Amino acid sequence: MSTTLWIIVGGALMTYLTRVGGHLVLSRFERIHPRVQAGLNAVPAAVLTTLVAPAAMAGGPAELASLAVATIVSLRSGLLAMFLSGAAVLVVLRQFMG
Amino acid sequence: MTIFQGTAARDFRRGGRDGIPALVATFPFALLYGALAVSTGMSAFEAVLMSAAIFGGASQMVGIELFGQSVSPWLVVLSIFAVNFRHVLYSAAVGPRIAGWSLPRQAVGFFFLVDPLYAESELKAEKREPITFAWYMGMALTFYTAWVGGSAVGAAFGRLIPDPHAIGIDFLLPIYFLGLVMGFRKRTMWAPVVAASAVASVVAYNTIGSPWHVSVGALAGILLAAAMPVPRREKGADE
């Protein structure tokens, strides 16, 4: 087996382990502690924020403007409208700012 | 593969529709991934196989980047694991919600548990609607087809994109993730959690570097939420 295939198979196994592992480990406990529950409740916002914040810090005016517009739109409408407006602002501003 | 009928068929189609925003947001990345993978020396077949087997955009991007630098294989695998480690948390959160599914269905479902699937499942639970296998698979297969198909197209035609920066391809994912973050803004502790994770991830990104900023940043927000006083009677609130 070539090195590339080895990486793909190894990466796939490890990834599946993360997707099934959390449930397998946590289902061993009969009752979930309220603090664990509170922590789990915070997981999506916490994780997804880490995929936005460093990119925002590294961004220029075009990137920051697109995030600002997208945030405002998201208060009023759904994900797709929010995404398309942010992307539109980004593409237009980048034509001028590089 | 299960053939869905009746209500299940309707759920399946509804899931497919619910997957469209994620599909639109991710398809450009599938193209970009395919193009980059081939340019690092992977064959088109290997690039598509990686998408089909791992099905995790950010981790695949990190994987091919390290692959291009000829880092030792186990380190590449470890990095893929680190980027995808957040799925442990998704798995723990979604597991109880799909406990009614048969074991093979759960085993299949967990394979597809990526960011959009997780986020949409949580939003569905928030609306107190059941997460059916048909709905879940409708969304999963829509998204999976787009990811694997986009990778293939990217691998075949990727070098034809004239200027990826001008069409904003590199910044679409942060916009999309921001939308998901905003979707959770009604949850308790949302603003403090987001603030803590934002600060911690930026600091980690500039010190230890990528991909650890994801784990470190997430942990900061989660620990903050867990450390706050919890209302007594809430123990079974999510059932």
Side-chain angles (χ1 to χ4, degrees):
Chain A
M1 200 155 76
S2 80
T3 311
T4 315
L5 281 181
W6 192 93
I7 290 172
I8 292 172
V9 171
L13 287 176
M14 294 303 270
T15 300
Y16 187 71
L17 202 64
T18 66
R19 288 179 191 157
V20 80
H23 176 57
L24 290 183
V25 171
L26 254 93
S27 64
R28 291 168 162 271
F29 301 96
E30 258 185 32
R31 172 161 296 170
I32 298 177
H33 192 278
R35 290 198 185 282
V36 176
Q37 188 81 46
L40 287 178
N41 195 44
V43 169
V47 174
L48 293 164
T49 298
T50 68
L51 301 175
V52 181
M57 289 300 284
E63 288 76 17
L64 292 178
S66 78
L67 290 181
V69 168
T71 303
I72 293 164
V73 173
S74 76
L75 297 175
R76 290 283 164 156
S77 47
L79 183 60
L80 190 57
M82 173 275 182
F83 175 73
L84 292 177
S85 61
V89 169
L90 179 71
V91 172
V92 170
L93 288 183
R94 274 194 180 173
Q95 306 308 314
F96 301 109
M97 301 177 182
Chain B
M1 178 92 308
T2 317
I3 296 160
F4 296 108
Q5 290 170 337
T7 332
R10 207 161 52 235
D11 268 12
F12 185 78
R13 282 195 298 276
R14 176 130 186 258
R17 271 202 308 279
D18 287 348
I20 290 174
L23 179 158
V24 174
T26 314
F27 195 74
F29 287 93
L31 297 176
L32 183 68
Y33 158 78
L36 290 178
V38 172
S39 74
T40 62
M42 268 191 190
S43 71
F45 169 76
E46 288 164 339
V48 175
L49 181 70
M50 193 181 204
S51 281
I54 295 180
F55 187 42
S59 69
Q60 290 176 228
M61 293 290 194
V62 171
I64 57 171
E65 189 173 307
L66 295 177
F67 177 78
Q69 299 164 12
S70 39
V71 175
S72 56
W74 69 269
L75 206 59
V76 181
V77 171
L78 189 68
S79 300
I80 291 170
F81 181 70
V83 176
N84 287 333
F85 190 73
R86 66 186 186 282
H87 294 145
V88 168
L89 303 165
Y90 298 174
S91 166
V94 168
R97 304 195 193 288
I98 64 169
W101 298 2
S102 68
L103 280 184
R105 285 182 170 197
Q106 289 189 32
V108 170
F110 281 121
F111 173 80
F112 292 105
L113 190 57
V114 293
D115 306 70
L117 266 289
Y118 170 65
E120 294 288 344
S121 297
E122 286 287 306
L123 290 177
K124 201 142 179 86
E126 199 105 321
K127 287 187 266 179
R128 308 234 167 250
E129 292 173 21
I131 297 168
T132 64
F133 184 66
W135 172 82
Y136 186 93
M137 287 311 291
M139 181 157 174
L141 291 180
T142 302
F143 194 57
Y144 187 74
T145 308
W147 180 249
V148 178
S151 305
V153 175
F157 298 104
R159 285 169 216 197
L160 302 180
I161 298 177
D163 185 358
H165 179 79
I167 55 171
I169 229 171
D170 54 299
F171 203 70
L172 293 182
L173 217 46
I175 297 175
Y176 171 71
F177 289 139
L178 176 67
L180 296 181
V181 171
M182 293 302 289
F184 291 107
R185 68 184 181 277
K186 302 250 163 68
R187 288 202 174 181
T188 44
M189 294 290 296
W190 178 81
V193 166
V194 167
S197 292
V199 171
S201 66
V202 169
V203 170
Y205 186 81
N206 291 315
T207 50
I208 21 179
S210 182
W212 300 103
H213 66 285
V214 177
S215 312
V216 172
L219 205 60
I222 293 162
L223 288 179
L224 178 71
M228 286 292 146
V230 211
R232 268 286 157 78
R233 40 160 212 84
E234 240 191 7
K235 49 183 180 210
D238 253 2
E239 254 80 70

